[in-house]
Every structure is written in structure tokens, then in C-alpha cells.
Amino acid sequence: MQTRTMSVDLGERERKEAASSRRFPVSVSSETPVQRVDWQSGGQLFDEVLSHARGAVDLSRAPLPVLESHDRSKVNVGVVRDLKLDGKRLRGELVLGQSERAKELAADIADGIVTGISVGYTISQETRDEKAKRITATRWCPYEVSIVSVPADPSVGINRSASMDEQSATTTPPTDNTTPPEVLAERERASEIHALVTRARLGADFGAQLVRDGVPLEQARARILDALVVRDQQAPTNQHTRMDYGRFDAISPGTDYGEDFRRAAVDSLLIRSGIPVARPHAGARDLSGSVYDLARLSLSRQGRTGSRFGESRGPELIKRAMVTADFPAILAGALHASVRSGYESEPASHRAWVRAVPVPDFRTQQRPILGSAPSLAQVGEHGEYTDGYFTDEMASYSVMKYGRMVAISWEALVNDNLGAFLRVQPALGQAARRAEADTVYALFALNSAAGPTMQDGTALFHANHANLATSAAFDSAQLGAGRALLRKQQALGGGYLSLVPRYLVVPSERETAAEVLLANATRRVNTEKTTPEWIASLELVVEPRLANTAVYLAAEYNQIDTAELGLLEENMNGPVVEEEAEFRKDVKQWKVRHVFGAKFLDWRGVVKMPVT
């Protein structure tokens, strides 16, 4: 998110009148150029202009919260509402709240003490004029308005009226096109200091003080680094924080800014590589996604600069960045996210009807299968209550480990070919999801398609289990026979379970026929229906791994534990990526690991219906 600062300009009488209601007219933004540092072009200075043409300003987040010095760790003190475009300006009404701090600010504004505001915004579309060193934001979105101390654009601010803006425009003296070198140098110093302070999130006041005191740029860098050290020492730390690169959320109060930078960098790399990101980080668009730019930023965050290490694009820069905390984490995070994207995008029919649960380790997992409660016995007058017992059985299985090593060469990093490397990694995530499905559906083929041997020594689908229908045509009558078998299943110790069929699992060859059955069940016709309506409530699961000899009805796993997919806790959201050190070769290596196992726990929740 970027910011720009404006000043307050209000007559004394108007300020006093507005103070009692704590409502002030405000000019939020204008098309006044503001100097920025363009990191995509190697840190060059340029003028940024916010367009106020029709359709340029996205007001979807209005009303805007009012903060102090862009401090998002504290609750807002007011809002800016009734936003509207007025020529080349964005205007609204600043309303301060009932808190003591809001009342203090209202009084300071009324007394003319507080004279600056700043708008925070993001840019989604822009045009560049390289010759004029100007970038025009043709589509941008304001996120918040902050009350600050030092204004940079006196043409807009709190209590600015249209007449005042016109007066400012007519009384501004013409400028000479020839700018003295010392003025340009001072502008560059101020711009660089403000850019460094903004990236370090030390507040606009901190940067303004450095500029006012005339602190040289190198000394300013040292003071900024000292301030970061003090802030880190005062902030609470969590020594066991684990980064989850599967989700990328915008910055929130209390966020670790180091992790926030890494999240934005990971999203930037993924977008540059052509990998879809559902909710990209708000700061991702401000990063180029280039390996070299991210290396320079990682060094800069530790108080270093890439220019000290020879070429701005070269092996030495990458080598130096590898020893920072950020750069290796960004590479690993991007790899993890690309693998995860493949895992989540791969079709997985088994996840619809199989329960996925975390397991703590590789030891055999024991799953008790409780029977029904004992039936109640009649008790006569003064009679004695007899004991009743639950019956149970035990099913067990173990998880297995699957994995691969992936590596990117030193030459690929130096050539900035990380994008090509990331684009092939989703295949590893897809392979992990396919391995799960292979394991689950391979169970159906065991014992000549009778399924795995259960804890009672009998195959899963067997007449003794009352879950094997007679072979017949695939129609509503066959489904009805399967439903009856499911309904009549009894718990251990007796008692009907009254299971309801929820899933219709079919091989791909039967997909069209199944769709016709479900569609006929949903139609409302005047003539007598041949397909009962209960079939319409089934969820169709199509699986090409199944043989074209049978279809299956399965109950919801919340009704009964039928099949279970156990995953090591670290693999619940997909494969885990770990870095592997390789000293003998100039490569960066990662290990992709996925640990899981599958087991049919109970035969009562699934029925096999052979079809002709």
C-alpha cells in the first residue's frame, strides 16, 4: 500500500463551527505529482500522478477508516464518508468518533494545530512515461485516511473548499523549468528517506523528522536500522511460528512485518510465473517478482545494499541474499505454494465420501468401531436392573511416506529462471493427490474386486455383510435394492442403523447413465414418474479408477465411519516442502514429502451393486 500526504487549510471561524460536531469537509486526493522510488526500474525516482478521471477511483472500500500516521495496529478514530469526485479531486466528510483521542484531534484541528492528512491506497492499473519519468495511476483504490504531522501536498486536506482550491491554484507562482542541482539533490534525499521509512513502517513523523534535521542519507539509514532493532526488541516474539504459504492474507494489526514482506514476495513470484493466486497479497503488485529485485530487497531489509556487491544483477548478489532470513524463505515459500496449488487443483473424487483425519505419527492407528447400546430389559416391581455392555471391534492401519527431491541450479537463479522452475512444480502436488486416490480406489480391487479383508476375516463386499446386491441393470430399481441393504444394516450387538445413502459412486463409463437417473428424479412431470425423487438427493462421484462392473452407494461419513484417509498432521493441507543442504553442487534443493494411509473401517456404510 502506498501513501501521500496533504495539508489542512481552514479559516478560524469555520474550524470552530466544525469542532462541536467533529465533522470536517476534506479533500482526500488530487492529481498533484508525488515523487516515488520505482523498484521495478532499479530504484529510479519518478513522479506518480493519481488520475481522477471517471472510473479511475475505486470507492468499493468506502467509507474509509481514519487512522493516525497509518498505524494499523490501533483502532481507527473516525471515518471519511460521502466520498465523491469533484473535478480533479476526491472529496468527502471527515467524521471523528466519541473516543477521548478523537475529541482531542477534533480540538487540535479546530485550533489549527493539526494540519496534515495522508491517504493510503493501492494501484491496480497504471501507464508509464519513461521519458518524462512519470507514472499515472489509471485505476486505484483508497484504503484509509491518516492524520499526520507533515504535509507534502498543500492543495488538498481537511476543510478544503472548492473556492479555496481555486484560490490556491491562481495564487501559486509559476515555476522555473530549470531546477537547481542542490534542490534536486535535496528532493532525492527526502524521497529516499521517506521511501525507506515507509518500507520499514516507522511512521511518517519519523521520516519527516529526519528530513527536517537535514540528516544525510547514510546516517538516515543507520538511524532507521537502529529504530527497527529497538522495535523488534520491544515487540513480543514467537519462537515457534510456522509460515503457512498456502494462504496469503492482507496485512492485519499485529502482523509480523518480516513475514508480511515474505508473503507479498511469494505472491509476486507466483503471479509472475503464471500460477493463479486466489487472494494475492495487497503488496504483491508493488514487487516485480524478479529474483534480483527480491534479493536486493532482502539485503536492504537487513541494512545492506546490493550495489556494494558488484553488479546489480549477478552471482554475487544472489550469494549474499542467500544468507539473509528473507530470501531463502521466499524461495521455499514459492515452491511450497506452487506444489500446493497443484494439490488443490487436482480432481479428487475420494475426498467427497472418505473422511480425512490427521494422525500424529507412523505407529499403527487403532480405530474402535462401537456397536449399538444394549437393548433395554423389562424390570418388574422391586426387580433388579441387569448389566448391559457395548460391543466393539477394532480396525487398524498405518500411514506411508511418499516423496521426491527437486532442485534448481545456481545458473537458473542467476539467469532469473525461477518462474520456469515454479511452473513445473504444481505437478508434484497433483501427483500427491493422485497417490491418495490410487491408494483409496486400489482397495476396491483387492480379493478379486470383493474389497479388502476386514477385521472379521471376510472381504468388504460379501453376502455375510449384507452389502452386496444381486447383479442387475443400472436403473432406479437397482439403486432401490442398494438403498434397502443400506437401511437394514445393524450395529454390533443389534439395532438398525437406519443409514441414508448420500453418495452414488460410479466408474466413468456409467457417468452419463447416472446423470440421466439423477436428472429424471428432479423433473416434475404430469405423467407417472419412473425414477423416485430420493435419487435426486444423491451426490454423484465419478471415478475412472473403478472397474466398469459395479456401482456403489455410500452413507455420509458423519453417520458411520466407512473409509478413512489418515494424513500426518503436517500433510493435512498438502505435501510439505523442506530445504536440503547440498555443499558439493551449486544447486538449491528441496524435499517434497507426503505421508498418508487409507483404510475401510466398517462395511456397513457402503453397498456394492454389480451391474450388467
Side-chain angles (χ1 to χ4, degrees):
M1 182 182 295
Q2 298 171 219
T3 62
R4 55 172 58 199
T5 311
M6 294 77 71
S7 66
V8 178
D9 190 356
L10 181 67
E12 182 177 355
R13 182 176 60 84
E14 291 87 350
R15 286 198 298 265
K16 296 296 184 183
E17 292 176 353
S20 59
S21 63
R22 295 189 298 280
R23 298 171 182 266
F24 305 88
V26 60
S27 179
V28 176
S29 60
S30 72
E31 293 193 355
T32 301
V34 172
Q35 200 170 59
R36 300 286 190 197
V37 178
D38 183 12
W39 298 108
Q40 297 187 28
S41 61
Q44 298 182 14
L45 295 175
F46 68 97
D47 286 333
E48 179 190 82
V49 176
L50 297 179
S51 173
H52 287 66
R54 173 176 290 186
V57 187
D58 177 6
L59 297 178
S60 60
R61 302 185 71 91
L64 304 179
V66 176
L67 311 178
E68 287 191 76
S69 299
H70 303 288
D71 187 354
R72 285 166 285 182
S73 66
K74 297 180 180 178
V75 69
N76 58 304
V77 294
V79 295
V80 174
R81 64 187 187 186
D82 298 333
L83 288 165
K84 60 182 179 180
L85 288 175
D86 182 9
K88 294 184 178 182
R89 296 177 184 275
L90 179 62
R91 301 184 187 277
E93 182 182 42
L94 169 63
V95 181
L96 293 173
Q98 298 286 345
S99 67
E100 290 301 319
R101 181 55 182 157
K103 294 176 181 178
E104 292 174 359
L105 289 171
D108 288 342
I109 293 174
D111 292 338
I113 297 174
V114 173
T115 60
I117 62 170
S118 177
V119 61
Y121 57 94
T122 60
I123 300 175
S124 55
Q125 296 178 15
E126 63 185 29
T127 59
R128 289 174 173 260
D129 186 341
E130 299 294 344
K131 185 176 181 180
K133 298 295 183 184
R134 171 170 293 195
I135 294 179
T136 301
T138 56
R139 181 68 174 171
W140 59 281
C141 177
Y143 272 60
E144 50 90 1
V145 173
S146 285
I147 297 175
V148 295
S149 59
V150 181
D153 181 2
S155 68
V156 290
I158 304 174
N159 289 311
R160 296 289 304 186
S161 65
S163 60
M164 294 170 64
D165 292 331
E166 292 172 1
Q167 183 179 6
S168 297
T170 57
T171 58
T172 301
T175 58
D176 189 351
N177 292 331
T178 304
T179 305
E182 59 272 16
V183 175
L184 291 176
E186 174 59 19
R187 287 180 181 175
E188 184 174 357
R189 182 187 72 90
S191 176
E192 181 68 13
I193 289 176
H194 282 301
L196 291 171
V197 170
T198 299
R199 282 160 48 202
R201 292 179 172 86
L202 292 174
D205 292 348
F206 186 85
Q209 188 65 44
L210 293 176
V211 173
R212 282 198 304 268
D213 293 347
V215 179
L217 185 56
E218 288 304 318
Q219 292 184 21
R221 292 180 187 274
R223 292 192 186 183
I224 291 171
L225 183 58
D226 291 341
L228 287 174
V229 171
V230 172
R231 186 180 69 185
D232 291 343
Q233 290 175 345
Q234 294 175 346
T237 58
N238 181 359
Q239 299 297 329
H240 303 283
T241 299
R242 178 176 177 178
M243 294 179 63
D244 179 6
Y245 293 101
R247 296 179 57 192
F248 308 104
D249 301 319
I251 184 171
S252 58
T255 296
D256 174 3
Y257 292 118
E259 181 175 343
D260 191 61
F261 164 70
R262 292 190 286 270
R263 287 174 181 266
V266 167
D267 270 11
S268 177
L269 279 175
L270 295 176
I271 293 171
R272 184 175 185 242
S273 303
I275 298 175
V277 180
R279 291 179 297 163
H281 190 284
R285 66 161 305 280
D286 295 326
L287 302 174
S288 68
S290 164
V291 171
Y292 288 106
D293 288 344
L294 295 178
R296 279 191 290 270
L297 284 173
S298 298
L299 288 166
S300 176
R301 282 174 49 78
Q302 291 197 348
R304 309 177 189 178
T305 173
S307 60
R308 296 182 184 177
F309 309 126
E311 297 293 334
S312 61
R313 297 173 61 89
E316 191 66 21
L317 176 65
I318 300 297
K319 184 184 298 184
R320 296 283 184 172
M322 281 297 187
V323 300
T324 65
D326 290 331
F327 194 64
I330 291 169
L331 297 181
L335 175 61
H336 192 175
S338 61
V339 171
R340 177 79 62 82
S341 70
Y343 181 77
E344 294 176 348
S345 64
E346 178 70 12
S349 66
H350 63 287
R351 284 301 187 100
W353 61 276
V354 176
R355 184 196 298 272
V357 299
V359 298
D361 49 46
F362 285 86
R363 288 177 292 185
T364 300
Q365 305 299 311
Q366 302 289 342
R367 295 290 184 266
I369 303 174
L370 293 177
S372 61
S375 58
L376 298 180
Q378 184 176 354
V379 180
E381 185 177 2
H382 303 295
E384 183 179 353
Y385 287 84
T386 58
D387 293 331
Y389 301 94
F390 285 92
T391 56
D392 66 339
E393 292 181 351
M394 191 70 67
S396 62
Y397 71 97
S398 300
V399 296
M400 298 295 293
K401 180 170 58 178
Y402 304 82
R404 286 286 186 183
M405 293 292 297
V406 294
I408 183 171
S409 68
W410 178 259
E411 290 80 2
L413 278 176
V414 172
N415 293 335
D416 202 1
N417 285 338
L418 183 60
F421 173 72
L422 291 177
R423 282 192 293 273
V424 302
Q425 301 314 312
L428 290 172
Q430 294 168 341
R433 186 77 92 176
R434 286 196 300 270
E436 291 178 5
D438 291 342
T439 301
V440 169
Y441 289 109
L443 298 174
F444 285 82
L446 297 176
N447 293 321
S448 301
T453 301
M454 304 300 287
Q455 50 270 20
D456 63 350
T458 305
L460 170 63
F461 301 111
H462 195 277
N464 292 348
H465 291 161
N467 66 349
L468 181 61
T470 304
S471 179
F474 181 32
D475 54 19
S476 59
Q478 178 74 325
L479 293 180
R483 180 174 69 158
L485 289 174
L486 202 60
R487 291 280 199 187
K488 290 185 176 181
Q489 288 290 345
Q490 296 189 27
L492 294 173
Y496 289 105
L497 292 172
S498 299
L499 299 176
V500 178
R502 179 69 179 88
Y503 302 101
L504 174 58
V505 185
V506 303
S508 55
E509 294 86 351
R510 304 283 177 170
E511 181 176 6
T512 300
E515 289 176 338
V516 170
L517 281 172
L518 268 62
N520 288 338
T522 60
R523 291 174 182 163
R524 297 183 177 274
V525 294
N526 295 327
T527 59
E528 183 179 355
K529 296 182 65 171
T530 58
T531 304
E533 291 186 3
W534 73 268
I535 294 178
S537 64
L538 295 175
E539 180 177 333
L540 181 60
V541 177
V542 181
E543 179 48 55
R545 295 172 178 82
L546 292 174
N548 185 24
T549 56
V551 297
Y552 306 85
L553 282 177
E556 180 78 45
Y557 53 67
N558 290 329
Q559 280 192 292
I560 187 171
D561 289 326
T562 301
E564 182 172 292
L565 176 68
L567 299 110
L568 208 60
E569 291 177 349
E570 65 178 14
N571 294 118
M572 282 300 293
N573 293 320
V576 168
V577 178
E578 291 183 350
E579 184 177 346
E580 287 286 313
E582 176 57 69
F583 183 75
R584 293 179 177 272
K585 299 179 181 179
D586 286 332
V587 295
K588 193 74 174 174
Q589 291 192 137
W590 293 273
K591 179 169 58 183
V592 181
R593 182 178 64 246
H594 198 49
V595 181
F596 66 91
K599 171 73 174 180
F600 271 101
L601 303 179
D602 200 328
W603 60 81
R604 297 168 180 83
V606 61
V607 171
K608 179 179 180 179
M609 296 165 289
V611 291
T612 57

